[in-house]
Amino acid sequence: MSKKVIIIGGGIIGLCSAYYLQKEGHEVLIIDQSNMNAGASYVNAGYISPSHFISLAAPGIISKGIKWMFDSASPFYVKPRLDLEFLKWAVAFKKSATKIKVEKSISVLKDINLFSRDLYEDLQHSRIFNFHYERKGLLMCYQSDKVGEEEWKVGKRGIEEGLGVKHLSKKEVNLLQPKANLNIKGAVYYDCDAHMTPNNFMKDMVSYLKENGVIFHKNESVKDLQVSNGTIKKVITDKRELLCDDVVLSAGSWSPLITKKLGIKIPLQAGKGYRINVERETNITIPAILCEAKVAVTPMDGFTRFAGTMEIAGINHNINHKRVDAIADAAKRYYNNLEITSKEKDNAQCGLRPCTPDGLPYIGKSSKCNNLTIATGHAMMGWSLGPATGMLVSEIIFNKKTSLNTEAFNPDRCFY
């Protein structure tokens, strides 16, 4: 039976949810508070990353975070603040950052990333879209033996999970990418990863959805939800009231502001990331993460993107120029003779990534509301997990057996 589904949030998760819902014959409407041309879905590294099977809440990150807390240019920065929701999230994050919990999440993250990669490739082969997509793998480039050993330890765990992983010397990396002129000791190479140009895909998907009857309400904020007997009847915005059968919440870092209206608490913090685009030849042809600096490098359609940092500092889009400089400095250290200009740094942008305490997204229904499907909290894997999340959302709303077990993504899971 066809339903009227309202999606709150028009980022990658919202668009992919709309795609699979409209394919099932549902009437879909998307509400977004922005003009849908900026934010995390547009400034990310464009990675489809089965290699990222270790969650953000990993052992050792707390001690590193405390050390980095005093350095606003560090790769992972947590701004200390007296905010109750942040403090609760921090406690839950600490409890999640254990070896046992991370180990349990490895296969979960790997499986949903592989599933999503397959769905991206299905979209590419459908000939409906014309977006940039390449599967060239990912290089985890390191400059010190200690970091190289740490990365290879993770790589060997990836091999145990069935992924294609190799430990490459500097010479072997140079054979793969002879003109990049990398200043490294070696790299761990994952052949399972792919990359895209986010703006291309977002533009393609919006056009497709409009052509297939999906309605968009841009620059419109959700002010309230009218609920009766645990069911959302109306979504009330600053411009109109909309009847609905089901609601999908994919509002990223703003999602808790909506769930609070329903008495649902989902621990979530905004993690700001930055990007610099270099629109000239860099001779970089394979995506890489510059390990010590935690900077992602992606050869996109017509430019190279340098992205990085995780700044937990609340919801804001203020540009911290020290962090932009840190990304540019890393590019220069790892790629000989690559100088990012002042103009390129001045054009840097940021986006807010919604981070859960355990590094796993929220995908599913809360027991407190029977027609709300929550789809948020993907942190740095939002782009990678877009199609998988969209497919799961459609299956959940249509009461189908889901393609993957979603128990680990339960929005009601307990962190305390």
Side-chain angles (χ1 to χ4, degrees), residues 12 15 39-48 120 124 129-136 194-206 275 277-279 284-285 287 297-306 383-384:
I12 181 66
L15 294 190
S41 293
Y42 295 85
V43 304
N44 64 84
Y47 287 171
I48 296 92
Y120 267 122
Q124 185 194 36
F129 303 100
N130 190 35
F131 57 84
H132 165 238
Y133 176 98
E134 292 184 89
R135 187 169 162 188
K136 289 185 173 181
H195 68 282
M196 301 169 64
T197 303
N199 290 49
N200 289 4
F201 181 84
M202 296 294 283
K203 184 179 178 181
D204 264 15
M205 184 58 82
V206 169
R275 72 94 176 114
N277 288 344
V278 175
E279 297 180 357
I284 296 169
T285 58
V297 185
T298 316
M300 294 190 176
D301 186 14
F303 60 95
T304 304
R305 174 165 291 177
F306 297 82
W383 189 264
S384 185

Side-chain angles (χ1 to χ4, degrees), residues 43-268:
V43 304
N44 64 84
Y47 287 171
I48 296 92
S49 48
S51 63
H52 286 39
F53 51 81
I54 303 295
S55 75
L56 179 63
I61 193 66
I62 300 296
S63 57
K64 286 182 181 178
I66 292 171
K67 177 184 174 183
W68 286 336
M69 191 179 288
F70 303 99
D71 180 5
S72 60
S74 62
F76 179 53
Y77 174 62
V78 180
K79 182 180 180 180
R81 59 194 190 278
L82 291 175
D83 175 85
L84 184 58
E85 295 305 318
F86 163 70
L87 293 173
K88 286 181 177 179
W89 180 90
V91 170
F93 185 92
K94 186 177 186 300
K95 288 187 174 182
S96 299
T98 67
K99 185 176 180 180
I100 292 172
K101 290 187 177 181
V102 169
E103 185 66 29
K104 284 179 67 176
S105 70
I106 285 176
S107 61
V108 173
L109 288 172
K110 179 207 66 176
D111 288 346
I112 191 171
N113 269 288
L114 288 171
F115 178 48
S116 207
R117 186 195 66 189
D118 291 345
L119 291 174
Y120 267 122
E121 293 183 355
D122 288 345
L123 291 172
Q124 185 194 36
H125 296 148
S126 69
R127 298 185 180 180
I128 297 172
F129 303 100
N130 190 35
F131 57 84
H132 165 238
Y133 176 98
E134 292 184 89
R135 187 169 162 188
K136 289 185 173 181
L138 176 70
L139 291 164
M140 302 294 293
C141 297
Y142 60 86
Q143 292 183 320
S144 69
D145 291 331
K146 181 183 177 182
V147 171
E149 290 168 6
E150 291 172 355
E151 289 301 327
W152 182 228
K153 183 178 179 181
V154 176
K156 287 189 285 188
R157 186 67 180 83
I159 292 171
E160 290 176 19
E161 289 293 320
L163 301 178
V165 191
K166 295 178 181 177
H167 198 172
L168 305 180
S169 66
K170 178 179 179 178
K171 182 178 180 181
E172 289 170 318
V173 173
N174 286 337
L175 287 172
L176 280 176
Q177 204 175 199
K179 295 183 180 180
N181 200 9
L182 273 158
N183 177 29
I184 59 172
K185 284 196 169 182
V188 176
Y189 176 61
Y190 292 83
D191 67 10
C192 50
D193 285 25
H195 68 282
M196 301 169 64
T197 303
N199 290 49
N200 289 4
F201 181 84
M202 296 294 283
K203 184 179 178 181
D204 264 15
M205 184 58 82
V206 169
S207 295
Y208 171 86
L209 292 175
K210 285 181 176 178
E211 289 169 4
N212 285 272
V214 174
I215 297 169
F216 287 79
H217 290 320
K218 299 180 183 179
N219 301 306
E220 196 160 331
S221 299
V222 173
K223 295 300 181 184
D224 206 355
L225 302 167
Q226 187 183 97
V227 182
S228 176
N229 297 321
T231 302
I232 301 170
K233 299 294 184 181
K234 281 184 184 178
V235 175
I236 301 166
T237 76
D238 54 355
K239 296 180 181 178
R240 70 195 87 221
E241 295 185 2
L242 298 160
L243 295 170
C244 59
D245 297 313
D246 273 84
V247 175
V248 176
L249 178 59
S250 57
S253 298
W254 291 264
S255 297
L257 301 177
I258 305 297
T259 58
K260 276 183 181 178
K261 300 178 188 299
L262 300 167
I264 300 171
K265 294 183 179 179
I266 52 169
L268 200 70

